[in-house]
């Protein structure tokens, strides 16, 4: 098997608050190690060290990136062994595991000098309060941005040829599946296309789709039927028994931005800002929903209104990103205190114990 290293987001700072797809991303796991009792500045390096060490022993490694601090990890998944190592620190919340899943809580407090940490008790409480404030401020701004985006969509929806949009969708379904069906139940796995981070939007589209036999780049405008097409494609894949990866929009979790059908080697994604890409392989193909399904001259007809909407939308996204950065700077201070009082020898021992257990049971 070719070695497969994937990078995804399973949680997001969205217009609807902090939302995760952990349940879906971790489906099929038999064991999930949850690192708790500390902060992400302690857990992320531990996840990274375990992931890098064990990646030489398996062909499938999936890194789950943090939307809070660029470059940090929320988890690592070893699909071959059906094992995941996950961060359980604030604000990540865990519901009881599904039947058959062994959930192993690894409390890292014993690796932290709690007596030294106690000196920062009031400061830590204040940091958490301020992190919550700035996070909520960001979510409110993202919510405002989404409402402005709805105005943007409305102008194009008024000029949408629904029959033609449905025709394009039927063509895409035919391209993906023809008359094929699989005599099995489809596995549907949901995650995010990318994430709103303190340094702006980030995604891993090109890495995720690079090995695909064919990629479809959907161009268009808000309201031109891109997400609706993807939702219908997912429903069709599921009804035909094809496994499907569903990538939700980082701003609006109710909207879809990409679909991958691994068994067919096919990927299709919204290739407009803030995740605008262009074909780079001979097999890549563009599907232009504006040309196909929007009344000609719509951009020109609403030029002034669109300019105003875009300006207001951009401003709200900037405000939200600035709030995420303010929260991130507080997280950095919190993380530095924990790193200062953490016993690296004990943390390394925890990592070694987990890896030893993985080595024995894989």
């Amino acid at each position: 098997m070719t070695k497969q290293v994937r990078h995804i987001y399973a949680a997001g700072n969205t217009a609807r608050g902090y939302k995760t797809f952990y349940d879906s991303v971790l489906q099929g796991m038999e064991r999930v190690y949850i690192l708790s009792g500390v902060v992400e500045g302690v857990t992320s390096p531990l996840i990274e060290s375990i992931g890098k060490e064990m990646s030489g022993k398996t062909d499938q490694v999936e890194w789950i990136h943090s939307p809070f601090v660029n470059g940090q990890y929320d988890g690592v998944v070893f699909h071959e062994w059906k094992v995941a190592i996950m961060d359980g620190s604030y604000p990540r919340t865990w519901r009881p595991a599904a039947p058959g899943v062994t959930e192993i809580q690894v409390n890292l407090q014993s690796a932290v000098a709690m007596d030294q940490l106690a000196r920062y008790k009031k400061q830590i409480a204040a940091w958490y309060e301020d992190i919550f404030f700035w996070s909520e401020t960001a979510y409110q701004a993202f919510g405002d941005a989404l409402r402005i985006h709805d105005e943007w969509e409305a102008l194009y929806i008024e000029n949408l040829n629904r029959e033609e949009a449905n025709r394009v969708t039927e063509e895409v379904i035919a391209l993906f599946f023809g008359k094929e069906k699989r005599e099995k139940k489809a596995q549907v796995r949901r995650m995010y296309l990318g994430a709103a981070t303190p340094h702006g939007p980030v995604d891993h589209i090109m890495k995720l789709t690079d090995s695909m036999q064919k990629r479809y780049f959907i161009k268009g405008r808000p309201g031109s039927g891109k997400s609706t097409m993807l939702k219908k494609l997912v429903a069709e894949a599921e009804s035909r028994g094809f496994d499907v990866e569903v990538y939700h929009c980082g701003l609006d979790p109710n909207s879809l931005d990409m679909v991958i059908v691994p068994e067919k080697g096919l990927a299709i994604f919204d290739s407009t800002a803030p995740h605008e890409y262009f074909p780079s392989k001979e097999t890549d193909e563009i599907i232009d929903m504006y040309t196909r399904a929007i009344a000609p001259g719509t951009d020109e007809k609403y030029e002034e209104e669109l300019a105003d909407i875009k300006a207001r939308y951009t401003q709200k996204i900037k405000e939200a990103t600035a709030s995420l950065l303010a929260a991130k700077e507080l997280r950095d201070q919190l993380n530095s205190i924990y790193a200062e009082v953490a016993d690296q020898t004990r943390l390394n021992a925890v990592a070694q114990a987990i890896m030893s257990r993985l080595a024995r049971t894989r």
Side-chain angles (χ1 to χ4, degrees), residues 169-311:
T169 300
E170 289 167 7
E171 289 172 10
V172 169
I173 289 171
L175 285 169
F176 267 62
F177 307 115
K179 295 183 178 180
E180 288 183 75
K181 284 189 176 182
R182 295 286 171 97
E183 296 303 317
K184 65 177 179 63
K185 184 178 180 181
Q187 294 293 316
V188 180
R189 193 166 184 252
R190 297 179 181 275
M191 60 211 89
Y192 283 102
L193 177 79
T197 78
H199 296 298
V202 177
D203 67 71
H204 300 287
I205 297 173
M206 292 295 100
K207 290 179 182 176
L208 287 164
T209 62
D210 187 58
S211 63
M212 295 293 109
Q213 294 175 26
K214 193 168 181 65
R215 303 184 296 189
Y216 294 91
F217 295 60
I218 312 174
K219 302 294 182 178
R221 308 289 188 274
S224 59
K226 300 186 299 293
S227 179
T228 301
M229 177 201 294
L230 295 178
K231 287 177 180 177
K232 289 180 179 179
L233 186 63
V234 171
E236 193 70 25
E238 196 170 2
S239 71
R240 291 172 181 247
F242 283 93
D243 296 344
V244 60
E245 294 177 2
V246 185
Y247 294 81
H248 290 248
C249 171
L251 178 65
D252 181 7
N254 295 341
S255 184
L256 302 188
D257 275 349
M258 180 163 76
V259 172
I260 292 178
V261 183
E263 293 159 307
K264 300 288 290 182
L266 298 173
I268 181 169
F269 54 91
D270 181 338
S271 184
T272 57
H275 36 80
E276 185 174 22
Y277 293 98
F278 296 92
S280 58
K281 299 180 178 183
E282 287 185 6
T283 53
D284 290 343
E285 192 172 322
I286 287 176
I287 297 172
D288 191 335
M289 291 299 288
Y290 180 76
T291 303
R292 290 289 304 271
I294 300 294
T298 299
D299 283 349
E300 293 76 12
K301 180 180 177 182
Y302 296 105
E303 186 176 359
E304 288 186 13
E305 293 97 318
L306 288 168
D308 173 65
I309 289 171
K310 187 174 182 180

Side-chain angles (χ1 to χ4, degrees), residues 148 152 305-317:
I148 295 168
W152 201 342
E305 293 97 318
L306 288 168
D308 173 65
I309 289 171
K310 187 174 182 180
R312 287 188 288 121
Y313 174 81
T314 302
Q315 179 58 34
K316 283 299 176 182
I317 293 294

Side-chain angles (χ1 to χ4, degrees), residues 300-343:
E300 293 76 12
K301 180 180 177 182
Y302 296 105
E303 186 176 359
E304 288 186 13
E305 293 97 318
L306 288 168
D308 173 65
I309 289 171
K310 187 174 182 180
R312 287 188 288 121
Y313 174 81
T314 302
Q315 179 58 34
K316 283 299 176 182
I317 293 294
K318 284 182 179 177
E319 289 175 15
T321 302
S323 294
L324 288 181
L325 183 58
K328 184 258 182 189
E329 289 170 350
L330 293 163
R331 286 177 185 279
D332 288 345
Q333 295 179 63
L334 182 62
N335 288 336
S336 67
I337 292 297
Y338 270 82
E340 186 182 305
V341 302
D343 185 330

Side-chain angles (χ1 to χ4, degrees), residues 10-11 15 45 52 60 84 116 132 164 185 206 271 309 335 347:
K52 286 183 175 178
Q60 297 181 58
Q116 294 182 45
F132 177 80
E164 187 61 26
K185 184 178 180 181
M206 292 295 100
S271 184
I309 289 171
N335 288 336
L347 289 172

Side-chain angles (χ1 to χ4, degrees), residues 117-128:
L117 205 58
R119 290 181 297 168
Y120 303 100
K121 185 177 180 180
K122 288 184 179 179
Q123 181 62 70
I124 289 171
W127 278 330
Y128 272 122

Side-chain angles (χ1 to χ4, degrees), residues 6 8 10 21-32 60 62 64 77-84 86 94-103 185-191 234 238 242-246 248 262:
R6 286 163 49 94
I8 68 166
F21 286 108
Y22 285 154
D23 288 352
S24 186
V25 165
L26 298 177
Q27 65 179 312
M29 295 297 107
E30 293 178 355
R31 283 172 295 151
V32 178
Q60 297 181 58
E62 187 171 60
I64 301 175
V77 181
F78 304 108
H79 288 279
E80 191 178 357
W81 306 331
K82 298 183 178 180
V83 174
M86 300 296 296
W94 293 88
R95 290 182 287 184
V101 180
T102 301
E103 202 172 84
K185 184 178 180 181
Q187 294 293 316
V188 180
R189 193 166 184 252
R190 297 179 181 275
M191 60 211 89
V234 171
E238 196 170 2
F242 283 93
D243 296 344
V244 60
E245 294 177 2
V246 185
H248 290 248

Side-chain angles (χ1 to χ4, degrees), residues 62-102:
E62 187 171 60
W63 295 98
I64 301 175
H65 288 252
S66 166
F68 301 119
V69 181
N70 298 71
Q72 288 194 349
Y73 299 100
D74 275 354
V76 62
V77 181
F78 304 108
H79 288 279
E80 191 178 357
W81 306 331
K82 298 183 178 180
V83 174
I85 319 292
M86 300 296 296
D87 185 352
S89 67
Y90 171 82
R92 303 156 186 87
T93 54
W94 293 88
R95 290 182 287 184
V101 180
T102 301

